[in-house]
């Protein structure tokens, strides 16, 4: 079981930048559209633009997922 979660900016809302990880990855608070649960994590699109493609995969619907085992951020439910 990998630590992989849907992390596409197109599926999130109420996004606020709260800082950066040690390696410079932007860190956000957000909720998934249709949910009130808040999370802290990153955006797949940021990782792609930073050339960290090894941490990003595409799901069957064409949305990006992030393997958090490959970056220095954890997805945290707040």
């Amino acid at each position: 079981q990998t630590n992989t979660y849907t992390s596409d900016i197109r599926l999130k809302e109420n996004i606020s930048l709260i800082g950066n990880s040690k390696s410079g990855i932007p860190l956000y608070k957000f909720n998934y559209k249709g949910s009130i649960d808040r999370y802290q994590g990153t955006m797949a699109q940021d990782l792609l633009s930073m050339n960290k493609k090894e941490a990003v995969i595409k799901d069957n619907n064409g949305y990006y997922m992030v393997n958090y085992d490959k970056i220095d951020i954890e997805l945290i439910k707040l």
Side-chain angles (χ1 to χ4, degrees):
Q1 169 82 23
T2 61
N3 206 1
T4 303
Y5 301 97
T6 301
S7 198
D8 196 303
I9 195 168
R10 295 171 289 177
L11 300 173
K12 299 175 180 179
E13 61 186 2
N14 302 313
I15 299 165
S16 55
L17 181 65
I18 56 171
N20 292 75
S21 73
K22 283 190 170 73
S23 70
I25 298 170
L27 186 61
Y28 301 91
K29 285 184 182 172
F30 59 89
N31 60 278
Y32 290 99
K33 291 178 180 174
S35 171
I36 59 166
D37 293 333
R38 299 285 289 163
Y39 292 88
Q40 178 179 303
T42 193
M43 303 290 163
Q45 283 84 349
D46 284 341
L47 297 176
L48 291 172
S49 70
M50 295 173 75
N51 207 26
K52 295 186 181 293
K53 296 177 178 69
E54 70 282 353
V56 180
I57 59 171
K58 216 179 239 193
D59 72 13
N60 294 333
N61 299 314
Y63 291 109
Y64 294 116
M65 300 181 75
V66 168
N67 181 344
Y68 278 83
D69 291 335
K70 296 186 183 255
I71 58 174
D72 64 343
I73 287 177
E74 289 182 51
L75 181 67
I76 301 169
K77 186 175 178 183
L78 301 173

